[in-house]
Amino acid sequence: MSFILNIETATKNCSVSIAKNGETIICKEIAEEGYSHAEKLHVFIEEVIEEAKISVQDLAAIAVSQGPGSYTGLRIGVSAAKGLCFALNIPLIAVDTLQTLASQANVSEGKIIPMLDARRMEVYSEIFNADLQVEREILAEVIDENSFKDFTEKIYFVGDCADKCKAVLTKDNFVFLEEIKYPSANAMSKISYSKYQKSDTVDVAYFEPYYLKDFMMTTSKK
């Protein structure tokens, strides 16, 4: 019996779940414009453990969303996950944020393209087939009317970019699953358990989130 704590903070959605053998027992999450991760994350962790009627000592591993996504959100999630792994001496599992997002699309054919907003018309995207196998690695790309034009099969878009991308991605085979907006710790459960069974873990001391783009800071010219 393996209990895994899943932490997803790469987007506006602050999400935490407890899974038993790959099945979610309890999930707590909230998506807010103000990014309340710093205030909510540890509260959610305490609540899901209590509601699952286990203790932290029962955890076999911690899984964390590795990015791409919000710089601050990723730092908060990874810092919490590392702290728990160090304290409990248990393994850390890194889960592809876009795979978690894509896994929420229940389709049997075509391609799934999860996209997360990277400001203006730029997105973080990846391409999966209906079996969630990667067909194109993660990119930060600018979306225009020529994006994905060579695909003839159904393309299912998920993520928080529908509002800005629907105006330019207008081919008949393009479908926006607008109800699937953010990655969730609920959807991490099967992925993290599969990785745990294969001992697919990362070094707790040296693991860093996958930011994809460098964090940019500007200084005053005065």
Side-chain angles (χ1 to χ4, degrees):
M1 185 183 302
S2 300
F3 292 101
I4 296 176
L5 174 70
N6 299 287
I7 298 173
E8 167 55 64
T9 57
T11 66
K12 293 174 184 175
N13 195 29
C14 180
S15 181
V16 180
S17 73
I18 292 284
K20 176 183 175 182
N21 297 338
E23 297 295 328
T24 300
I25 299 174
I26 185 78
C27 180
K28 296 269 187 179
E29 58 189 354
I30 186 169
E32 294 182 328
E33 291 296 326
Y35 284 90
S36 58
H37 302 19
E39 295 80 21
K40 301 290 188 183
L41 180 58
H42 289 281
V43 174
F44 284 174
I45 291 172
E46 291 176 3
E47 289 179 348
V48 296
I49 290 172
E50 181 179 354
E51 291 184 32
K53 295 180 170 56
I54 63 172
S55 71
V56 290
Q57 284 74 28
D58 294 316
L59 295 174
I62 310 290
V64 68
S65 182
Q66 68 178 5
S70 158
Y71 179 91
T72 302
L74 288 168
R75 294 300 298 177
I76 290 170
V78 169
S79 295
K82 281 187 170 188
L84 285 167
C85 287
F86 272 123
L88 299 170
N89 193 29
I90 56 177
L92 177 64
I93 299 166
V95 176
D96 175 358
T97 303
L98 292 173
Q99 182 184 9
T100 299
L101 182 56
S103 71
Q104 296 174 72
N106 185 20
V107 300
S108 59
E109 40 75 43
K111 309 294 184 192
I112 306 168
I113 302 183
M115 298 190 298
L116 291 177
D117 193 4
R119 299 190 179 175
R120 298 186 179 86
M121 288 305 291
E122 192 171 22
V123 303
Y124 302 126
S125 68
E126 194 169 5
I127 300 176
F128 296 85
N129 64 22
D131 295 321
L132 283 184
Q133 296 170 323
V134 176
E135 298 211 342
R136 197 214 66 196
E137 298 295 336
I138 301 169
L139 292 178
E141 58 184 326
V142 175
I143 299 299
D144 61 28
E145 61 275 9
N146 294 314
S147 298
F148 316 115
K149 67 177 183 179
D150 294 331
F151 288 104
T152 57
E153 64 266 68
K154 283 279 189 184
I155 303 296
Y156 297 91
F157 295 102
V158 294
D160 61 358
C161 299
D163 289 343
K164 74 179 185 181
C165 290
K166 280 193 300 183
V168 293
L169 298 177
T170 58
K171 287 184 63 181
D172 291 341
N173 59 315
F174 291 170
V175 179
F176 284 87
L177 303 178
E178 296 185 56
E179 69 278 10
I180 305 173
K181 196 168 185 179
Y182 301 117
S184 169
N186 183 32
M188 290 175 67
S189 296
K190 284 185 169 58
I191 301 170
S192 61
Y193 183 61
S194 175
K195 283 176 166 279
Y196 175 74
Q197 288 181 303
K198 295 181 287 189
S199 298
D200 184 358
T201 61
V202 295
D203 190 298
V204 177
Y206 295 104
F207 172 72
E208 290 291 332
Y210 182 43
Y211 299 117
L212 194 58
K213 289 167 56 175
D214 291 334
F215 180 61
M216 300 298 291
M217 294 185 65
T218 58
T219 56
S220 173
K221 294 181 181 179
K222 295 182 179 180

